[in-house]
């Protein structure tokens, strides 16, 4: 740290239902000095560690979070729309999932966006308001030094998100003003990795002088259960001294089965109790921060606690009394059985995810099994989820502690800050196979004619319908390890010196050789500008007998690094970098 210029590190937890901010100055880098912003427009003197991820538009401009007026039209859940092209998983809740096995797009058809706005534009507008509040807060805190202090922003995304969604989130943040000051930077980290950074640091200090200190080899599962997504990653403690260091033990997993699914189940229950008239309610009455949903949110938090409550009363307004359906005096009566019916389908999905992580980890080394499960995130704070996970652990006869850590809801944003100061996860597992579409010599009867082409350099017929798999699901990924993509293309005189590669992925265990197979996902198009490559990168050939044409063929590699929540692509030739490749989604 002494050789670096001191900076502010700011964690940005952009969540489905709530978002948070935290920061630290590197002159005091201890994780205990992390400050969470808890003052928000519209909250007055009441402090809260997060603000609603909601925005409202009017003739007077946009308002957000707690500052949206009661009669304002709220737009929320738009974060989920950044990842509509993600493949569905077996752990997605039906209320958030789709019947289409390839895409989540139709799942979110009922998430309304502002008129004339895309999900990316809405996200940018929201993050712009978040950024403005952040900078105002930092200016008040560092009134004399902020102008000359560089800021490193650490933005979190779900671990299960596609690279397209990661990129869309990053670009929205940049468009919103993050990194707009000279010297400011932005990096990405997955939400469970951020949570692991904070939780493991905290438990390390708690157990440092106890009879049960954190030991190398110990395995810990982070379950980040939020509003729209649930992410799980199992980490192994590599070492505790001189610095805490972790690595991913098995491939992480997750699904779209967060607390939003509980809210939607409640609204469906409400419709079944009230009848067709419910559909005529204005959207503001069922919006996340409406009095209806705030009352239900209180019931959610109480459910599973030691509070001896057999039912909860939810104000529903002027609705005709219907005692059989639990509606009397403008209130809906929710019983314990009702709440279990709302929670259980989602809780079962979370436990299924936990079971998969524990089984996969224990298979690696039966003598060194998972010791601890951390439940973090908004849904991770649920007392009912905590009790059910504990009951599952006992039923399975696992010797696993289930911990809901201090500052559970803000663990991700605190961990994002700590990741920027001192990342402790050095090796991750690839969550899918990576490959590129390539051309191979055409074989009649084997390949489709429509996929064929003639290479002008080799003057040979090739076919495009093939995949060269370069890295496998479960392979290690770190800052030193690259996925080297061999590249070659023939150019005629006048051709633009640009090469496009189709990057593909497969989340199944055995990736097929054909790019057309339904198991193969197109991840994006890698754009390589080879105009700056040296002459040694090109082979030259004269083609034709009478009218000879000079044909050149470029040969180089693209070195790809898969980070916690991003991709880095370098153009390489003879061991030297010639700039960055870009990727279009």
């Amino acid at each position: 740290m002494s050789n670096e210029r001191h900076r502010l590190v700011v964690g940005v937890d952009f969540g489905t239902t709530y978002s948070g901010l935290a920061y630290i100055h590197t002159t005091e880098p201890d994780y205990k000095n992390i400050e969470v912003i808890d003052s928000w427009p519209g909250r007055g003197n009441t402090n809260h560690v997060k603000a609603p991820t909601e925005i409202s538009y009017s003739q007077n401009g946009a308002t957000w979070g707690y500052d949206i007026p009661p009669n304002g039209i709220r737009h929320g859940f738009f974060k989920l729309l950044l990842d509509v092209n993600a493949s569905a998983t077996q752990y997605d809740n039906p209320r958030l999932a789709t019947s289409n096995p390839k895409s989540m797009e139709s799942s979110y058809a009922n998430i309304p966006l502002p008129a004339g706005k895309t999900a990316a534009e809405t996200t940018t507008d929201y993050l712009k308001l978040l950024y403005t509040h952040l900078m105002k807060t930092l200016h008040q805190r560092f009134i004399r030094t902020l102008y000359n202090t560089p800021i490193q922003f650490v933005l979190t995304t779900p671990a299960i998100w596609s690279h397209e969604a990661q990129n869309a989130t990053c670009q929205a943040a940049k468009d919103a003003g993050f990194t707009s000051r000279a010297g400011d930077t932005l990096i990405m980290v997955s939400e469970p990795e951020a949570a692991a950074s904070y939780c493991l640091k905290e438990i390390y200090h708690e157990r440092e002088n106890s009879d049960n200190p954190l030991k190398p080899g110990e395995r810990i599962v982070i379950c980040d259960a939020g509003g729209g997504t649930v992410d799980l990653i199992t980490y192994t403690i590599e070492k505790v001294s001189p610095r805490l260091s972790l690595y991913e033990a098995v491939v992480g997993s997750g699904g779209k089965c967060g607390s939003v699914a509980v809210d939607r189940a409640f609204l469906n229950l409400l419709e079944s109790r009230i009848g067709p008239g419910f559909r005529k309610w204005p959207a503001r009455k069922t919006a996340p921060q409406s009095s209806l949903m705030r009352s239900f949110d209180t019931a959610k938090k109480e459910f599973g606690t030691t509070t001896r409550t057999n039912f909860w009363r939810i104000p529903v307004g002027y609705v005709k009394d219907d005692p059989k359906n639990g509606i009397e005096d403008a209130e809906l009566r929710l019983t314990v059985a009702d709440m279990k019916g709302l929670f259980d389908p989602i809780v079962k999905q979370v436990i299924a995810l936990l079971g998969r992580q524990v089984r996969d980890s224990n298979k690696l080394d039966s003598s060194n099994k998972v010791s601890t499960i951390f439940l973090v995130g908004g849904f991770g704070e649920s007392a009912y989820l905590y009790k059910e996970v504990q009951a599952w652990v006992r039923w399975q006869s696992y010797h696993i502690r289930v911990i809901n850590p201090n500052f559970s809801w803000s663990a991700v944003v605190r961990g994002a800050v700590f990741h920027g100061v001192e990342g402790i996860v050095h090796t991750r597992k690839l969550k899918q196979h990576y490959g590129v579409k390539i051309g191979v010599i055409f074989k009649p009867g084997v390949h489709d004619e429509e996929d064929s082409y003639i290479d002008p350099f080799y003057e040979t017929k090739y076919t495009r319908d093939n995949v060269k798999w370069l890295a496998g699901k479960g392979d290690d990924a770190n800052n030193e390890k690259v996925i080297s993509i061999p590249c070659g293309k023939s150019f005629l005189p006048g051709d633009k010196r640009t090469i496009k590669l189709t990057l593909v992925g497969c989340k199944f265990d055995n990736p097929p050789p054909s790019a057309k197979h339904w198991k193969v996902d197109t991840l994006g198009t890698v754009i390589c500008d080879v105009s700056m490559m040296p002459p040694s990168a090109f082979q030259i050939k004269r083609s034709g007998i009478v009218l000879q044409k000079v044909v050149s063929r470029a040969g180089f590699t693209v070195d790809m690094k898969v980070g916690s929540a991003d991709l880095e692509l370098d153009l390489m030739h003879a061991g030297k970098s010639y700039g960055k490749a870009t990727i279009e989604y």
Side-chain angles (χ1 to χ4, degrees), residues 172-477:
K174 290 180 178 179
D175 292 342
F178 294 86
T179 73
S180 58
R181 303 190 324 158
D184 289 357
T185 56
L186 174 71
I187 62 174
M188 308 276 284
V189 65
S190 75
E191 290 166 2
E193 181 172 325
S197 296
Y198 174 75
C199 292
L200 269 296
K201 194 71 173 179
E202 186 178 68
I203 195 173
Y204 167 72
H205 282 286
E206 283 183 1
R207 292 167 51 181
E208 188 175 16
N209 297 315
S210 71
D211 295 332
N212 185 30
L214 204 61
K215 301 182 184 71
E218 192 170 340
R219 286 200 183 133
I220 291 171
V221 177
I222 300 291
C223 176
D224 176 26
T229 57
V230 175
D231 286 314
L232 296 94
I233 297 181
T234 303
Y235 293 98
T236 301
I237 310 297
E238 183 184 43
K239 58 184 179 181
V240 295
S241 180
R243 290 173 53 187
L244 184 62
S245 178
L246 318 175
Y247 63 89
E248 285 189 27
V250 294
V251 176
S253 57
K256 292 180 173 68
C257 51
S259 62
V260 172
V262 180
D263 293 342
R264 290 193 173 184
F266 166 67
L267 293 176
N268 285 346
L269 174 68
L270 198 57
E271 181 179 0
S272 70
R273 299 283 178 88
I274 292 174
F278 176 77
R279 297 205 169 196
K280 298 179 182 179
W281 285 21
R284 61 181 174 80
K285 288 192 68 174
T286 58
Q289 290 300 309
S290 64
S291 60
L292 172 75
M293 297 309 293
R294 286 201 303 269
S295 296
F296 178 63
D297 195 53
T298 299
K300 282 196 304 182
K301 291 176 180 177
E302 289 182 357
F303 182 51
T305 64
T306 55
T307 303
R308 294 183 178 275
T309 302
N310 295 321
F311 60 87
W312 292 263
R313 296 185 184 276
I314 309 297
V316 293
Y318 298 107
V319 177
K320 183 179 178 180
D321 282 359
D322 184 356
K324 288 185 178 180
N325 280 313
I327 299 174
E328 287 186 284
D329 300 327
E331 291 180 331
L332 170 69
R333 178 169 165 155
L334 287 177
T335 65
V336 171
D338 291 331
M339 294 295 278
K340 280 180 63 66
L342 300 177
F343 270 77
D344 280 348
I346 295 89
V347 168
K348 287 178 181 177
Q349 288 168 313
V350 175
I351 289 175
L353 283 163
L354 282 167
R356 176 180 169 182
Q357 280 291 298
V358 172
R359 287 192 303 272
D360 288 351
S361 178
N362 289 349
K363 281 180 186 177
L364 285 178
D365 184 358
S366 59
S367 64
N368 185 26
K369 298 181 178 181
V370 170
S371 68
T372 309
I373 294 173
F374 280 98
L375 296 177
V376 301
F379 192 43
E381 283 193 321
S382 165
Y384 183 70
L385 175 63
Y386 178 77
K387 287 174 64 175
E388 290 298 296
V389 172
Q390 281 189 315
W392 167 75
V393 167
R394 288 194 298 269
W395 183 71
Q396 295 287 342
S397 299
Y398 288 141
H399 299 288
I400 297 176
R401 291 173 302 160
V402 182
I403 296 177
N404 191 269
N406 296 330
F407 312 114
S408 170
W409 200 23
S410 62
V412 169
V413 75
R414 291 172 183 270
V417 174
F418 187 63
H419 175 82
V421 175
E422 180 187 332
I424 63 174
V425 178
H426 70 84
T427 301
R428 307 169 187 89
K429 295 291 185 183
L430 295 181
K431 295 177 177 60
Q432 62 185 327
H433 303 276
Y434 287 90
V436 289
K437 288 176 65 174
I438 62 167
V440 299
I441 295 176
F442 183 85
K443 293 181 180 179
V446 176
H447 298 124
D448 293 337
E449 188 69 39
E450 64 182 23
D451 293 321
S452 67
Y453 66 98
I454 303 295
D455 184 281
F457 188 86
Y458 295 114
E459 299 178 355
T460 303
K461 192 174 185 178
Y462 283 78
T463 177
R464 300 181 179 88
D465 183 23
N466 306 276
V467 177
K468 182 178 179 64
W469 295 107
L470 302 166
K473 178 181 176 180
D475 287 355
D476 288 342

Side-chain angles (χ1 to χ4, degrees), residues 8-13 19-25 33-38 40 49 130 134 138 151-154 410-418:
L8 276 168
V9 179
V10 175
V12 184
D13 177 15
S19 295
L21 298 165
Y23 63 89
I24 200 171
H25 199 284
N33 294 322
I34 294 172
E35 296 191 43
V36 176
I37 292 177
D38 58 7
W40 306 98
V49 296
L130 191 70
L134 166 69
L138 292 179
I151 301 175
Q152 180 187 42
F153 298 100
V154 185
S410 62
V412 169
V413 75
R414 291 172 183 270
V417 174
F418 187 63

